[in-house]
Structure formats: structure tokens, C-alpha cells
Amino acid sequence: MNASCLNIANLSAVLPNGARVLRSVSLSVQPGEVRALVGESGAGKTMIGKAVLGVLPPSVRIVEGDMLLEGEDLGRLQPKARRTLIGARTALIPQDPLTALNPSRRIGPQMTDRLVRILGWSGQGADARIRQLLDEVQIRDPDRVLKCYPHELSGGMRQRVLIAAAFAAEPRLIVADEPTTALDVTVQKQILRLIAQLQREHGTAILFVTHDLGVVAKISQKVSVLYAGKVVEEAETAALFAAPQHPYTRALMAATPRYTDPFASLKPVDDAVLAGLAAEIAAADQAWRRPHG
Amino acid sequence: MLLQRFLIRLLTMAITLFGVAVVVFVVIRVAPGDPIAMMLPPGATDTDIARLRALYGLDKTIVEQFFIWLSGVVRGDFGTSISLRQDVLGLVFNRLPATLELAIVALLMALAIGGTTAILGARERGTAVEAGIDIASGAALSIPDFLWGLVLILLFGVLVPIFDISGRVSPQLDLPFVTQFYLFESIARLRFDLTKDLLGHMLMPAVALALPLAAIISQLLKQSLKEVLDLDYVVLARVKGFSETQVILREALKNAALPTLTLVGVQFTFLIGGTVIVERLFSYEGLGNMAIDAVINRDLPLIQGIVLVFALLFVLINLTVDMMYALLNPRLRHG
């Protein structure tokens, strides 16, 4: 499977108390493909993204599994080599554009620093590249924006800036961590369209973390449904929506509010489904623990 | 708008200084001890005492004395020292540079030690290195500056005598200086032999003053750094490929330094207060040392002059801190 852009096999991570937060996760992202990771809060979807980018919180420890980025085993690389590889081939579109920019630095250097200091571009080259990307995300006054401090820009503008910065170095893989969650609903749609458009034009693979099935349907080709750090269902997006296999996936879809019936009460996930999930997780943990003592 | 803020600031400074002047003027006159009694030999007649009292204006009421003194101060005349029989302003300006040099060297030391250990501790958070830094800073903080002075004198002046423990400069040296800023002038004149001698004398009092402040800077800056290092823009910088040290220096330090800066301003005034005793310990000829002599001799004009200069110094430090805060924080600058 060397052709994969990202290949995660059997990834397990634990907290200091031994609880597994990722349960033998396997998934792959092909070049130029959008893979959605969907699940409720705490399902571990963000954790997978952080594991790939090497920015897990210090309390979370990877105990098993491999992560291959374009065939390179991230777990076997020296820290410095891994850092450089991740810096060169991946990028992150963060969840909250309000906190993802350094408040005391101007936008310009924050966008070009990776190109100049990690990838060795010239300052002029980086500047030209950033302006090109700002144009692609439909920012029409780059001179002003590049000189701004983050607090002088709106949330939507900041997310555009972050998207432009993410695509600037032509990464092979972008981790988009709920990139629209923190935005106004009206802005959400524009930002999502923008990401989809840039993804198509640049042919970048995206690991798209979201809890929103509507977003999944719009942007992704493949989906992994997560529950409690375990992939419970994996399918082509179209197939998943046409015929969800796992009871949890069906429950999630049923729980999605519909604009066609705004007065219907929200449906929580059924108790029977949750009990089934708990049993499934317990069985998986038991099977996992046996060889691991 | 900016001018208005500046004028208000200037007015508050003047009011503060006036308040300090009033309090000091009254307190040292109400406190027991008579400067005139200390100047005259035992057996002086009442007429002698009264004559001298009138000469120094001490026979008038405190309110009268205050306004006589104040009208002099406004014209730049701080009166004549009772014990030294010299112009107070001249005496103060003669000694102030020595104290300023000591305080500035101590502050630079504290920033260097505190800053380095904070950055190191934040980079190695959760390891034995951080624990070691915590223990060291706890120890440095729990011992006050004058006690550090005694410890240092004992260690490097008595047990292993490698440093000078007395004075500002070796007395046998020929000093070509025209200002009282010996250290700065020796550097400017490229007389590094003199710089070395001056620093040799200054090292231990400066370390004694610096250690508690270094510990405070270290603890606070490390804590702020650790908080900032969990923020999204720092995570983003790590994903970009920057090393932990680069992340701390480029992304985190400036934002984490803001709360520390405010505290350093306040603590620096305490450090200057600490020079009074520490200068005495090391017989360092600064303003603080002179202040103690002035108090012992009940030299009222000199005490007033010294305290007012200290107060002015503190007010100026606070002003500098506020300005630097605005400079470092772009949100304040535009707001």
C-alpha cells in the first residue's frame, strides 16, 4: 500500500491511567482523496489527526500501530526528521481561527514562516506564493491583510488566511480539524466551499475531522465513523448514506436535524444501540488486552 | 487622545511625588531624635541650641518648614545636608549613579537567569530538569536579598576569598572618569581593566539582589510559557515543522512575557529598595548606603532628598513598564 498518502494501521493510544483513547484504528487516505472522520465529541477523531501530525498532548501515549506518510514510517523517524517531514508534506487547518493565529505577530510572517524557515524559500518567493494563495481564497486586499494583526480580521477572514497558509507549501496531506465549527453558519458554507475548491485544484488529500454528517456528504469521498476511539464503520461516502451498515451510523443519521421538518424533536442515539456499542468496545478491549498482558 | 493620556499620567506622577514628600517630611520630624542635639557637644547652652535651630529653620512650624523646603525644591534647591554640610542635590547625584549601575546590573542578571531557566524549564516540562529548576527557584526565593549578601560574603569573601567584598572599586586604581557612572564609562572608554575591577566589586551585591527576582521571573515566566504552549497557534507552529525551542522563542515568549513584565516592574522597585541594606553590607558607596547614614545622623534635608529621588525613580520605572507593555501588545496599541 505504498501508493497511499496516509496509512494508519492498528493505532492504539492510551492515557496515563491505561484507558485506550484510540482502539486499533486503521484507515488510509489515497492521494487527492478526502477522507472524513466523523463521530461525536470525545470519539477520538481529533486525536487521530494530532497523532498523524505529531502533536498529541503529552499525556496521550501511542502504544501500538504504524503511521505511514507517503510510505515513510513516522514512528521510526528521529524526532527532527519526523518534524521536518511533517512540516514539508502536511498542514493543519485548525478548528478555531480566533486562537490559531499568534496575537502578537503580523499575518504576513505567520503565513510565510514555514516556506522560508522550514522549506528554505526566498522571502520574495514566499511572499509571491502567499499572495497567490490569498487570491485563491478570495482575499482581495492582500497588502492590508498581510500587515494586519490577527485581532484586526474577522473570524471568516482569519480562517481564509489559515486555509491559504495550509495550501501554500503544496502539502500532500491536510488535516482539517472541524474547520467550520467555530464560524457563523453563513460563513461556514463559504469556507467549506473554499476548502473543497482548493482541494480539487491542488489535488491535496484531506483528513477531514467533523461531527457534521451534512459536511461529510458535501466534501468527502470516503468516511470512517468513530465511536470511543474505534472505527465502527468505513465506507465510500455515497454508499454510507445510501445504506449505513452499523446501527450507530444509522442512529447518527437519524439524529441529524432536518430543515424539512424544523419542529420535529431531536432524536438521541437509542439506548439499545449504545448498549450494543459498549459490548462491542468491551469485546475489542478484551481481545486487545490478551496478547498485551 | 494620546497627549491627554500622557498629561493625565504626568499629573498623577506629580501628585504621587507630592504625597511622598509630605509623608516623609512629616514622619521624620515627628519621629524621635533631634538633629541639633547630635550636632552640638554635651553642655551646649540653650541659647546655642536655639541659635542653631533657627539657623536650620527648625524653630518654625512643620507647615512653614514644608513650604520653605518645597519652594526650594521647585527651584532645584534641596537644601544643605546637616551632617555633611554640602548641597543635598549634589550629594544625591554623586551617589545615584553607583546605585543605578548596581540595580541595572542586578536586573540584567535576574532577567538572564530567570529568563533562561524559565525557557529551559518550559522546554523540558514534566522532566527532572523542570523539577530541579523549581527546587532552585524555590530556594532562591525563600531567602531575602540581604541574607543572600551575607551568605555570599561568607562563601566567596571568607571561606574561598575570590571576590572583593567591600567598596565599589579598588582604592589604589587611578580613575579617569568624568561621570559617576564608573561601570558604563569604563566600557565606553574601553578601559576593560577598570570594568573588570568594578564588576568584581559589584558581582556579589548584584547577585544577592538578583537571585530573589530571578526566581520570581523564572517561576512566573515558566508558568505563562507552559500555558501558552498549549494554545492553538503554538500547535500550528509545531505542525509547520518548528522545533520546541524555536516554538518557544518565536511564538510563545513574547505573549508569555506580558504578565511577567508587569511583575518585573513592581519587583524592580523592590530590588532598588533592597540596595539600601545590601549596599551597606558590601560597603558599596551608593545612595542606599548614604540613606542609612542620613537616618542615623537625623540629617533631615538629606533624607528628604534621597527619598524623593527614590520615589521619582519608582514612578519612572512604572511609566517605563506601561510603555513597554503597550509596545509589546499590539491590541493595546490600537485600542
Side-chain angles (χ1 to χ4, degrees):
Chain A
M1 286 287 284
N2 256 2
S4 293
C5 177
L6 174 70
N7 202 357
I8 300 176
N10 261 324
L11 188 70
S12 287
V14 297
L15 290 173
N17 64 12
R20 276 207 294 173
V21 285
L22 294 180
R23 297 180 146 91
S24 308
V25 170
S26 296
L27 62 87
S28 67
V29 185
Q30 302 308 314
E33 170 187 88
V34 179
R35 154 85 61 168
L37 275 180
V38 68
E40 52 193 271
S41 311
K45 40 192 202 306
T46 296
M47 206 69 88
I48 294 173
K50 287 192 168 169
V52 172
L53 300 176
V55 289
L56 279 175
S59 56
V60 179
R61 198 162 51 90
I62 293 174
V63 285
E64 193 186 31
D66 295 311
M67 289 180 289
L68 293 149
L69 181 64
E70 298 200 298
E72 304 242 29
D73 189 338
L74 292 175
R76 295 227 160 74
L77 289 173
Q78 293 298 310
K80 187 170 187 298
R82 184 172 58 221
R83 219 170 54 220
T84 319
L85 184 76
I86 288 170
R89 301 213 191 146
T90 74
L92 169 67
I93 300 177
Q95 173 168 3
D96 187 352
L98 300 187
T99 57
L101 287 164
N102 189 333
S104 65
R105 295 178 64 204
R106 290 178 197 276
I107 298 291
Q110 294 200 60
M111 292 185 76
T112 52
D113 59 0
R114 182 214 314 252
L115 296 176
V116 175
R117 299 183 60 101
I118 303 293
L119 302 175
W121 291 41
S122 72
Q124 269 180 333
D127 189 60
R129 176 71 181 151
I130 286 300
R131 282 165 187 276
Q132 185 189 335
L133 261 298
L134 285 178
D135 186 58
E136 285 185 40
V137 297
Q138 288 147 30
I139 288 179
R140 298 299 173 221
D141 49 352
D143 289 322
R144 183 184 72 87
V145 169
L146 289 174
K147 278 196 207 96
C148 277
Y149 284 98
H151 71 273
E152 298 168 295
L153 299 178
S154 68
M157 282 291 269
R158 288 192 229 184
Q159 194 60 298
R160 281 166 202 266
V161 161
L162 287 161
I163 290 166
F167 280 96
E170 291 294 352
R172 316 306 293 265
L173 174 74
I174 287 180
V175 175
D177 185 6
E178 308 223 22
T180 57
T181 309
L183 301 170
D184 289 343
V185 181
T186 46
V187 183
Q188 278 186 7
K189 219 170 175 181
Q190 301 167 8
I191 293 293
L192 200 62
R193 203 177 298 143
L194 212 53
I195 295 176
Q197 186 189 338
L198 264 75
Q199 188 272 333
R200 269 195 312 277
E201 285 165 6
H202 293 255
T204 317
I206 297 188
L207 189 62
F208 200 104
V209 174
T210 181
H211 62 264
D212 187 337
L213 284 170
V215 171
V216 172
K218 278 197 201 85
I219 202 164
S220 70
Q221 287 94 51
K222 298 224 182 82
V223 195
S224 297
V225 181
L226 255 87
Y227 182 83
K230 187 179 185 309
V231 178
V232 293
E233 179 162 5
E234 183 182 8
E236 307 256 333
T237 306
L240 186 96
F241 280 92
Q245 298 299 304
H246 197 279
Y248 178 63
T249 315
R250 285 200 290 270
L252 269 189
M253 287 184 183
T256 307
R258 307 207 178 274
Y259 298 115
T260 48
D261 188 4
F263 297 107
S265 56
L266 295 174
K267 284 197 204 81
V269 176
D270 201 57
D271 282 348
V273 174
L274 290 177
L277 280 168
E280 197 177 318
I281 298 288
D285 276 359
Q286 208 166 11
W288 184 72
R289 229 167 256 134
R290 223 173 290 130
H292 295 84
Chain B
M1 197 60 207
L2 203 67
L3 183 73
Q4 191 186 351
R5 251 173 34 199
F6 181 72
L7 289 178
I8 289 173
R9 191 63 204 239
L10 222 56
L11 190 68
T12 4
M13 279 170 61
I15 293 171
T16 308
L17 290 177
F18 182 79
V20 169
V22 171
V23 170
V24 172
F25 199 89
V26 172
V27 164
I28 57 177
R29 275 167 181 73
V30 172
D34 185 353
I36 303 299
M38 302 192 68
M39 293 168 77
L40 292 168
T45 63
D46 283 350
T47 7
D48 288 340
I49 292 175
R51 204 165 46 81
L52 207 55
R53 208 173 270 289
L55 184 68
Y56 283 100
L58 294 172
D59 53 342
K60 299 194 172 66
T61 67
I62 290 185
V63 179
E64 278 176 307
Q65 288 182 42
F66 180 74
F67 282 104
I68 292 169
W69 176 71
L70 193 68
S71 65
V73 167
V74 181
R75 281 177 280 117
D77 174 14
F78 281 69
T80 307
S81 157
I82 295 176
S83 58
L84 300 169
R85 316 271 156 96
Q86 285 177 50
D87 176 45
V88 165
L89 202 61
L91 285 169
V92 169
F93 278 141
N94 217 17
R95 288 292 191 99
L96 182 63
T99 297
L100 282 180
E101 282 190 344
L102 178 63
I104 289 168
V105 169
L107 176 67
L108 293 179
M109 273 184 185
L111 286 171
I113 299 170
T116 317
T117 52
I119 290 169
L120 188 67
R123 204 188 70 183
E124 306 293 327
R125 55 196 177 283
T127 67
V129 176
E130 194 198 359
I133 287 171
D134 284 344
I135 291 169
S137 69
L141 192 56
S142 52
I143 300 177
D145 46 18
F146 58 89
L147 215 55
W148 274 119
L150 290 175
V151 170
L152 291 171
I153 289 175
L154 208 60
L155 283 178
F156 301 113
V158 181
L159 291 178
V160 194
I162 45 173
F163 291 116
D164 300 300
I165 55 163
S166 168
R168 188 179 180 197
V169 65
S170 299
Q172 72 276 16
L173 288 176
D174 233 358
L175 301 177
F177 302 130
V178 291
T179 69
Q180 292 296 318
F181 287 100
Y182 289 178
L183 184 69
F184 300 154
E185 198 180 339
S186 74
I187 295 168
R189 286 171 182 266
L190 307 177
R191 287 291 304 274
F192 295 122
D193 52 324
L194 295 177
T195 310
K196 187 164 164 273
D197 184 79
L198 284 160
L199 279 178
H201 282 83
M202 201 186 273
L203 190 67
M204 284 205 291
V207 168
L209 289 166
L211 278 177
L213 181 55
I216 295 174
I217 293 174
S218 176
Q219 288 183 355
L220 191 76
L221 184 59
K222 178 160 74 71
Q223 195 51 44
S224 318
L225 275 173
K226 280 164 73 176
E227 280 162 22
V228 172
L229 285 173
D230 285 335
L231 297 181
D232 289 351
Y233 62 81
V234 176
V235 171
L236 195 61
R238 289 196 193 104
V239 174
K240 285 176 181 173
F242 289 107
S243 72
E244 199 60 18
T245 311
Q246 285 173 315
V247 165
I248 291 176
L249 294 179
R250 290 168 51 81
E251 303 281 347
L253 191 58
K254 199 169 156 190
N255 295 308
L258 286 175
T260 313
L261 179 68
T262 317
L263 187 104
V264 167
V266 177
Q267 291 292 327
F268 184 48
T269 57
F270 285 136
L271 186 152
I272 292 177
T275 59
V276 173
I277 306 245
V278 170
E279 281 180 3
R280 192 67 165 188
L281 276 179
F282 290 92
S283 308
Y284 185 89
E285 293 123 23
L287 199 57
N289 208 346
M290 191 162 77
I292 292 182
D293 285 331
V295 170
I296 289 172
N297 294 325
R298 303 286 182 273
D299 192 338
L300 304 183
L302 190 54
I303 297 175
Q304 285 154 205
I306 292 173
V307 171
L308 210 58
V309 167
F310 269 128
L312 180 68
L313 218 53
F314 292 1
V315 168
L316 288 177
I317 289 168
N318 283 326
L319 185 71
T320 314
V321 168
D322 287 354
M323 273 159 39
M324 280 176 70
Y325 201 88
L327 210 67
L328 280 174
N329 190 343
R331 275 166 295 189
L332 269 184
R333 217 181 307 154
H334 301 283

